[in-house]
Amino acid sequence: MFLRASLALLLSLTGLGVPTHTRLQAPVSLGSVVPVPVSTTPTPGVTFEITANTAIFVEPGSAQIGCYLAGILRPSTGFPAVVYLATGVGISLLLSGAPASAGAEGYQLDITATSITIRANQAAGLFHGVQTLRQLLPVTAESTTVQPGPWLVPGGQIVDYPRFSYRGAMLDVARHFFPVPAIKRYVDQIVLYKVNHLHLHLSDDQGWRIAIDSWPRLASYGGATAVGGDPGGYYTKADYTEIVNYAVIRHLTIVPEIDMPGHTNAALASYAKLNCNGVAPARYTGMKVGFSSLCVGLELTYTFIDNVIGELAALTRGPYLHIGGDEASSTSAADYATFVNRVQGIVAAHGKTVIGFHDVLNATELPSTVAQFWWTTTANATVAQAAGRGTKIIMSPANKTYLDMKYRNSTRLGLKWAGLIEVQTAYEWNPGAHVAGVGESSVLGVEAPLWSETIRTSNDIEYLAFPRLPALMELAWSPASSHNWEAFRQRLAAQGPRWQVMGVDFYPSPQIGWPTP
Ligand code: NGO
């Protein structure tokens, strides 16, 4: 209701439908990008106008991104936005001429009165540059129907590259299942903030969500349930491949997770023979954790894991395979270490790198294993010692990054065990100095997990992710020296109207001065 009413006001404010729109539709400010770029130099008084004649010029290595950009421009502008494999005057996506500092994911964006040029060393950088350009277009560019324009882009130069290479979001599709279109929708929303990994929590006590040919009952029986008795579901291999391919085009790596040895009731319920006592437990639709465990002493357990990891690795384009490893409170410490050590070997044998929740550091981590820190404390000797040995850490402190925590007591969705997380709380911490002994160089990046005990729909995802996900991605992408809550609030406020046009159901936090008429 609030959003609908403010959208109407916003549209009247921006003068849409008013014939002399040029007076009202000022270009977006070059300084309004989230995450804030490394360097932004406006050229006062200069704007580029995208018109029906504006073409996109690409090279073989940037053609796909050119088509992606055209796909964003066409519905709202109604312009042909033709993509040419040639050089010319218009919007150019070039894999040459970027500064070395841009690295693998950075870019340089130049906007003059006659041209827009994005230069990068690699395609990923061009893609991130396009996301910056997307935020510099009038918010109505996100519309799926033709809007009047004009399509002005502010003049100047942006040079930009990330602080951390791993910028992640996680979605728990196990407690509640989210079908392929919901995943694609979330992918499109998060890449706007330069997220480059989407971790899918594919199995838990309440549901198994990926078809495994050698163990078909995992999905057909173990996938049929969800928290609260809600409908379950699972991805066929074709569905999963569709997600992976959709992500690849958007320079996003899907990180699949099979949580083990705990959080495995759905698997244990599907196959009696996986249980130490040979008896399958009932399927589970509650919200408790820590009660299930794979049978560590049973050889079949490792055949099972080898089959599952093998089939999942074959579907996976990225380097990582997440083995969970959290809250194995029904597994003894000795069994846990035996289990995790063996599973790391299985993952490696299938050519993948292990990520595990930081609990896996209670075993002997491989040098390549990445640990995801998720607790609420800022001192953890086990994690600090691992960092000291060179182990890389993904920062997901639950009291800062868990998107399933409520914003405030009255928030309709979410949990509270790690505390309430308003936007400022999500923003005010330093991933490179959060856990004692885990410095900047030990941190691979930041991931924002969204556990789904209390959420069922895309609207629910969006309400919890926005605006906290962009806040967290600013910590993951932008230089630590640019960290400034007051400046961030201003830039974040400018995203609100964009989300309204995109139909993103965000939380209108009172901490942010959202534009009002
Ligand atoms: C914990 C737990 C999950 C819950 C989540 C809820 C981890 C790593 N294990 O985080 O099973 O869903 O909290 O916030």
Side-chain angles (χ1 to χ4, degrees), residues 169-257:
M170 184 280 265
L171 186 63
D172 170 8
V173 297
R175 271 52 177 274
H176 279 98
F177 179 65
F178 294 88
V180 175
I183 305 297
K184 290 182 174 174
R185 183 177 166 86
Y186 196 41
V187 165
D188 281 325
Q189 293 164 350
I190 64 182
V191 295
L192 182 52
Y193 299 100
K194 302 187 171 76
V195 172
N196 65 354
H197 288 83
L198 176 62
H199 162 190
L200 293 176
H201 181 75
L202 291 169
S203 68
D204 212 303
D205 292 317
Q206 299 87 345
W208 184 283
R209 307 299 181 206
I210 178 81
I212 300 294
D213 296 338
S214 51
W215 297 77
R217 262 172 73 82
L218 291 170
S220 65
Y221 182 79
T225 43
V227 164
D230 286 326
Y234 65 89
Y235 305 119
T236 63
K237 287 193 169 175
D239 289 339
Y240 192 78
T241 302
E242 194 177 327
I243 292 171
V244 168
N245 291 343
Y246 194 81
V248 164
I249 290 170
R250 287 155 184 80
H251 293 268
L252 183 85
T253 301
I254 300 291
V255 179
E257 179 195 342

Side-chain angles (χ1 to χ4, degrees), residues 172 175 204 263 289 326-327 357 374 402 404-405 415 417 451 453:
D172 170 8
R175 271 52 177 274
D204 212 303
H263 292 276
V289 296
D326 57 317
E327 297 175 320
F357 289 111
W374 65 278
Y402 268 32
D404 56 311
M405 291 303 119
L415 305 173
W417 72 263
W451 301 94
E453 286 94 334

Side-chain angles (χ1 to χ4, degrees), residues 86-108:
T87 53
V89 179
I91 303 175
S92 299
L93 305 180
L94 307 178
L95 283 164
S96 58
S101 64
E105 288 195 288
Y107 62 90
Q108 177 178 315

Side-chain angles (χ1 to χ4, degrees), residues 24-269:
L24 289 165
Q25 185 133 317
V28 168
S29 151
L30 197 72
S32 67
V33 176
V34 176
V36 65
V38 171
S39 108
T40 301
T41 316
T43 313
V46 169
T47 54
F48 178 86
E49 182 170 0
I50 297 175
T51 68
N53 297 323
T54 304
I56 300 171
F57 297 94
V58 298
E59 302 166 350
S62 63
Q64 196 173 58
I65 297 170
C67 294
Y68 168 90
L69 175 59
I72 288 173
L73 294 176
R74 283 174 192 149
S76 53
T77 63
F79 299 153
V82 180
V83 181
Y84 290 107
L85 191 57
T87 53
V89 179
I91 303 175
S92 299
L93 305 180
L94 307 178
L95 283 164
S96 58
S101 64
E105 288 195 288
Y107 62 90
Q108 177 178 315
L109 168 62
D110 289 279
I111 301 157
T112 71
T114 51
S115 68
I116 294 180
T117 310
I118 308 180
R119 296 180 173 89
N121 299 315
Q122 295 186 23
L126 288 179
F127 186 79
H128 298 315
V130 163
Q131 299 310 319
T132 295
L133 175 59
R134 201 174 146 192
Q135 290 189 27
L136 295 174
L137 295 167
V139 297
T140 47
E142 296 295 338
S143 175
T144 52
T145 57
V146 176
Q147 303 296 315
W151 304 102
L152 300 177
V153 186
Q157 182 180 76
I158 289 179
V159 179
D160 201 12
Y161 48 85
R163 175 178 175 189
F164 296 114
S165 64
Y166 188 107
R167 302 175 305 280
M170 184 280 265
L171 186 63
D172 170 8
V173 297
R175 271 52 177 274
H176 279 98
F177 179 65
F178 294 88
V180 175
I183 305 297
K184 290 182 174 174
R185 183 177 166 86
Y186 196 41
V187 165
D188 281 325
Q189 293 164 350
I190 64 182
V191 295
L192 182 52
Y193 299 100
K194 302 187 171 76
V195 172
N196 65 354
H197 288 83
L198 176 62
H199 162 190
L200 293 176
H201 181 75
L202 291 169
S203 68
D204 212 303
D205 292 317
Q206 299 87 345
W208 184 283
R209 307 299 181 206
I210 178 81
I212 300 294
D213 296 338
S214 51
W215 297 77
R217 262 172 73 82
L218 291 170
S220 65
Y221 182 79
T225 43
V227 164
D230 286 326
Y234 65 89
Y235 305 119
T236 63
K237 287 193 169 175
D239 289 339
Y240 192 78
T241 302
E242 194 177 327
I243 292 171
V244 168
N245 291 343
Y246 194 81
V248 164
I249 290 170
R250 287 155 184 80
H251 293 268
L252 183 85
T253 301
I254 300 291
V255 179
E257 179 195 342
I258 299 296
D259 201 348
M260 54 188 138
H263 292 276
T264 42
N265 192 76
L268 296 166

